[in-house]
Amino acid sequence: DTAVSQTPKYLVTQMGNDKSIKCEQNLGHDTMYWYKQDSKKFLKIMFSYNNKELIINETVPNRFSPKSPDKAHLNLHINSLELGDSAVYFCASSPGTVSGNTIYFGEGSWLTVV
Amino acid sequence: ILNVEQSPQSLHVQEGDSTNFTCSFPSSNFYALHWYRWETAKSPEALFVMTLNGDEKKKGRISATLNTKEGYSYLYIKGSQPEDSATYLCASSPMDSSYKLIFGSGTRLLVRP
């Protein structure tokens, strides 16, 4: 069974559209994250939720809205998609803080905006 | 150092060679150092999490060391195999944000048979 699963894996969409990426973890972790792989290939944190509460919002445009219906799910909704939003988005989870705990990643969602 | 930096950016070695890479991080704001192995189109896979100065960890042919005072970590692979080909990422967890990992851009390793 996949520990952190995200869908869709590939998404091609037009500028201006609204799209969502879903994420689920079956590890029983309290904390979930969205990371974005930028054009220079760095993984950069976007959001972090702990027990459904937002704890990190890393100056992401407000077109990006995370939603955590329960602690096993963290979905990412993107409004009015722009060309620059094309990237690989990774969902992840951890059992609490990352200070001493491993983060478990999904396989990534490859978003292309045309 | 303000960010996490990794070197080299890429590395080609022959099967059987031993190799190592470097990760540098801000020592003034540090709590933990993570190493991940990442094959394209797969999930990054955790290798090690280290917090203590002088810490050494080992997993099979892969090992890592940590120097928190000078802000660097080394990852070593002994007797590289083609299946070791991947991107190796390090990430620092800063003291002032226990839910954040700051990643380097990775070292891409290619092991030729």
Side-chain angles (χ1 to χ4, degrees), chain B residues 12-113:
Chain B
H12 293 191
V13 301
Q14 206 64 37
E15 182 176 356
D17 287 350
S18 293
T19 187
N20 64 84
F21 344 119
T22 304
C23 173
S24 302
F25 55 86
S27 57
S28 58
N29 182 17
F30 168 83
Y31 195 95
L33 194 283
H34 295 231
W35 280 102
Y36 288 85
R37 179 178 179 279
W38 187 12
E39 290 181 67
T40 304
K42 292 187 179 179
S43 312
E45 173 198 348
L47 291 173
F48 307 111
V49 180
M50 297 184 289
T51 56
L52 300 176
N53 185 44
D55 213 358
E56 288 189 35
K57 295 224 172 170
K58 190 174 179 183
K59 190 174 183 178
R61 294 180 290 101
I62 305 177
S63 59
T65 60
L66 179 65
N67 182 322
T68 60
K69 292 185 179 176
E70 295 180 43
Y72 65 83
S73 174
Y74 293 135
L75 188 80
Y76 300 92
I77 303 179
K78 187 177 175 182
S80 303
Q81 299 297 308
E83 58 265 30
D84 295 329
S85 297
T87 298
Y88 291 83
L89 295 169
C90 76
S92 171
S93 173
M95 197 175 299
D96 58 3
S97 181
S98 55
Y99 289 94
K100 183 190 290 189
L101 280 181
I102 301 170
F103 280 86
S105 59
T107 292
R108 188 172 299 175
L109 173 67
L110 179 63
V111 181
R112 291 187 289 256

Side-chain angles (χ1 to χ4, degrees), chain A residues 31-101:
Chain A
T31 310
M32 295 187 72
Y33 311 82
W34 278 105
Y35 277 81
K36 178 182 178 181
Q37 185 184 19
D38 67 14
S39 56
K40 294 184 179 178
K41 304 299 182 189
F42 284 90
L43 276 173
K44 291 199 171 170
I45 190 163
M46 300 172 68
F47 301 104
S48 176
Y49 272 71
N50 182 253
N51 281 316
K52 303 193 296 173
E53 298 293 324
L54 179 67
I55 50 173
I56 293 179
N57 179 342
E58 201 69 1
T59 61
V60 177
N62 58 15
R63 297 183 296 103
F64 289 78
S65 52
K67 285 191 171 46
S68 183
D70 55 60
K71 71 175 194 178
H73 295 83
L74 181 61
N75 304 322
L76 183 66
H77 188 75
I78 315 171
N79 287 329
S80 304
L81 278 156
E82 300 177 358
L83 292 176
D85 297 332
S86 296
V88 187
Y89 293 86
F90 286 89
C91 179
S93 72
S94 67
T97 71
V98 296
S99 302
N101 295 303

